């Protein structure tokens, strides 16, 4: 079918996540082996997928699936750390902004703990739309938004690497290497504005790379995508927009 070992490796990833969840619970109870068990869970999640992505006889479809499984697995490692509420100061700062938007129905309310946040409400606007349509609490609505943006991030990265390198194998390996940076699993997985701005930037890179290989008469959708992503970055995160400039 072209899916290869995706099913089996997804089950291994789930087993690794289960061990990580147990380790977090042990840590809350001050268990002695919590840290070691967490590392075992991470190895079970990552190592088999790594070997498979480095293999040569793997279809493009399976590689894309493995990148998504690994990337979302690492995101869930972060989500399982605190599955019920925000824990980190940066997330609580943005919680204030989204709370004000939902309470008043307006943007740009003053946020004394992160004054610049209300001026870049892209993340909070997307979250408020999800919450308004689903009725979810703020925290769970943020999980939905972050999961969706993470999927977009992974797909855009993979397709960008594939377009630049011309190789599905290199694209899978490059995506995996990107996921090994600590920022990907920690700060970029929090409910903070750069967690949306980075996926949008990767989408812009993909559109720009695709433009070079597309005839001029078929470039309009790509140019619109590029423009929409650029405008979204501008209203989402100041530092990312500076880098783009």
């Amino acid at each position: 079918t072209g899916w290869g070992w995706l099913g089996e490796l997804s089950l291994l990833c789930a087993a690794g996540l289960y061990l990580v969840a147990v380790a977090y619970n042990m840590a809350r109870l001050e268990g002695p082996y919590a840290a070691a068990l967490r590392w075992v869970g991470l190895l079970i999640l990552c190592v088999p997928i790594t070997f498979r992505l480095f293999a040569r006889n793997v279809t493009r479809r399976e590689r894309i699936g493995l990148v998504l499984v690994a990337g979302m697995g690492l995101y869930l490692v972060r989500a399982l750390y605190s599955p019920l509420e925000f824990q980190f100061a940066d997330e609580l700062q943005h919680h204030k902004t989204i709370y004000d938007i939902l309470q008043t129905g307006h943007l740009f309310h003053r946020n004394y703990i992160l004054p610049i946040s209300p001026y870049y409400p892209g993340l909070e606007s997307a979250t408020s739309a999800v919450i308004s349509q689903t009725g979810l609490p703020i925290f769970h609505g943020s999980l939905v938004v972050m999961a969706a943006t993470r999927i977009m991030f992974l797909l855009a990265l993979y397709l960008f690497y594939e377009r630049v390198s011309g190789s599905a194998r290199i694209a899978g390996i490059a995506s995996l290497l990107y996921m090994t940076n600590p920022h990907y699993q920690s700060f970029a997985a929090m409910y903070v504005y750069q967690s949306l701005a980075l996926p949008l930037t990767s989408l812009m890179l993909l559109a720009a790379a695709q433009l070079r290989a597309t005839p001029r008469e078929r470039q309009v959708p790509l140019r619109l995508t590029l423009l929409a992503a650029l405008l979204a970055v501008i209203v989402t995160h100041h530092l990312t927009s500076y880098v783009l400039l």
Side-chain angles (χ1 to χ4, degrees):
T1 61
W3 292 112
W5 292 3
L6 180 61
E8 293 85 343
L9 293 177
S10 297
L11 286 175
L12 274 178
C13 177
L17 285 171
Y18 173 76
L19 293 180
V20 169
V22 172
Y24 285 152
N25 201 48
M26 288 175 60
R28 295 184 186 100
L29 300 174
E30 300 184 356
Y33 304 110
L37 184 61
R38 179 182 181 275
W39 280 110
V40 171
L42 284 172
L43 290 173
I44 292 175
L45 189 159
C46 296
V47 172
I49 291 178
T50 299
F51 276 103
R52 187 63 176 165
L53 285 174
F54 271 86
R56 294 185 179 277
N57 58 335
V58 179
T59 65
R60 178 177 183 267
R61 179 186 298 182
E62 183 183 354
R63 291 188 192 278
I64 294 175
L66 291 175
V67 167
L68 289 174
V69 168
M72 295 307 294
L74 290 174
Y75 169 71
L76 289 174
V77 168
R78 162 66 186 84
L80 287 171
Y81 180 82
S82 177
L84 299 176
E85 61 185 4
F86 295 117
Q87 286 284 344
F88 298 99
D90 298 272
E91 295 179 313
L92 293 171
Q93 292 167 354
H94 288 276
H95 177 272
K96 175 67 167 64
T97 301
I98 179 63
Y99 178 83
D100 288 341
I101 292 173
L102 291 172
Q103 288 296 308
T104 65
H106 299 286
L107 302 175
F108 311 122
H109 289 270
R110 184 168 295 180
N111 184 338
Y112 288 100
I113 55 176
L114 188 62
I116 200 170
S117 172
Y119 297 104
Y120 293 90
L123 175 64
E124 290 83 0
S125 297
T127 308
S128 65
V130 171
I131 292 172
S132 299
Q133 294 298 316
T134 62
L136 288 170
I138 290 177
F139 177 76
H140 296 95
S142 73
L143 289 181
V144 172
V145 172
M146 294 307 301
T149 58
R150 185 55 58 100
I151 292 173
M152 179 180 72
F153 195 10
L154 294 166
L155 287 174
L157 274 181
Y158 177 91
L159 294 173
F160 171 73
Y161 291 138
E162 186 182 49
R163 167 58 59 188
V164 172
S165 68
S167 167
R169 181 169 178 260
I170 291 177
I173 295 172
S175 300
L176 182 69
L177 288 175
Y178 182 87
M179 286 185 268
T180 61
N181 81 79
H183 185 272
Y184 177 85
Q185 190 184 339
S186 57
F187 203 51
M190 296 181 188
Y191 184 70
V192 289
Y193 39 18
Q194 70 269 20
S195 297
L196 175 59
L198 285 174
L200 290 170
T201 302
S202 66
L203 183 62
M204 289 181 61
L205 290 173
L206 172 61
Q210 190 67 31
L211 272 172
R212 300 184 62 183
T214 304
R216 182 175 296 273
E217 62 274 9
R218 296 171 56 189
Q219 289 183 356
V220 172
L222 290 171
R223 293 185 181 277
L224 291 176
T225 300
L226 196 63
L227 178 61
L230 175 61
L231 293 175
V233 170
I234 290 173
V235 299
T236 299
H237 190 216
H238 51 299
L239 291 179
T240 305
S241 64
Y242 301 160
V243 173
L244 287 176
L245 286 176

